[in-house]
Amino acid sequence: MHMATILTYDEVKRLITTRCDPRDILVLDDSYSLVDDTKAGKYFKSIASEAFSLIGPWMENVRDCDKFSRVVACISMLSHMRQSSDLTGLALGVFAYRKDSGENHAINFMMTKVVKKEKINIRLFEPQTGEEVFLTDREKTNVHWTLI
């Protein structure tokens, strides 16, 4: 699912801070493999679907956004460990922020490589539905933390 493009710890941290303003960034591996941008949406939907089948429907404080986002991240890490020969982590993590409505929310982010271009995207996904999410400028400045 990933491409040969690999980012270092410092590159991951720099990319996150240039795209949003998190208070805390937790980068746990030395390097990360990127997902092919053209396959990212389909890949995420399949992982989110698997998480939903494991967790079940949303339930406040029990099966809510932070649990879904962490389970999605775990499933993707497990899949990457089993299928990849790269000695890297997969560039998919958890992203916690305050919505414009004032509600705290946790989603997933994925760093992707645009094929045949020198472009790396950070795409955001709702773990409970698998849909891509686009934050407002204000939400980008209200990021509590990221974990990858």
Side-chain angles (χ1 to χ4, degrees):
M1 177 44 54
H2 66 279
M3 297 188 58
T5 301
I6 295 173
L7 295 179
T8 66
Y9 171 98
D10 290 331
E11 290 169 323
V12 166
K13 205 165 185 177
R14 182 183 50 77
L15 276 168
I16 292 171
T17 57
T18 59
R19 311 270 170 100
C20 64
D21 187 22
R23 292 185 196 118
D24 289 310
I25 303 173
L26 301 168
V27 180
L28 301 177
D29 290 323
D30 293 331
S31 58
Y32 293 86
S33 294
L34 303 180
V35 174
D36 177 337
D37 193 71
T38 62
K39 298 176 182 173
K42 184 176 180 181
Y43 175 71
F44 193 87
K45 270 200 180 286
S46 72
I47 299 259
S49 175
E50 194 171 338
F52 187 84
S53 68
L54 287 170
I55 298 173
W58 181 88
M59 180 185 292
E60 188 172 359
N61 294 321
V62 177
R63 293 187 295 251
D64 56 0
C65 60
D66 64 299
K67 299 343 176 268
F68 270 93
S69 62
R70 288 183 285 162
V71 169
V72 164
C74 289
I75 291 170
S76 69
M77 284 186 284
L78 181 59
S79 173
H80 178 70
M81 286 186 289
R82 289 183 170 171
Q83 297 175 17
S84 176
S85 60
D86 292 342
L87 299 176
T88 64
L90 182 65
L92 187 147
V94 179
F95 191 92
Y97 71 103
R98 182 177 302 278
K99 290 177 155 186
D100 285 341
S101 66
E103 172 187 22
N104 289 322
H105 194 49
I107 58 176
N108 293 98
F109 71 94
M110 186 184 314
M111 293 182 164
T112 65
K113 170 73 171 116
V114 179
V115 179
K116 298 181 184 177
K117 292 185 181 180
E118 292 298 316
K119 184 177 181 185
I120 296 170
N121 289 328
I122 297 178
R123 295 177 62 181
L124 306 172
F125 294 91
E126 173 58 59
Q128 296 167 84
T129 64
E131 298 298 319
E132 191 160 8
V133 176
F134 300 93
L135 301 186
T136 66
D137 288 340
R138 182 173 172 211
E139 288 171 334
K140 290 176 189 176
T141 64
N142 285 312
V143 178
H144 304 304
W145 53 266
T146 61
L147 169 65
I148 184 169

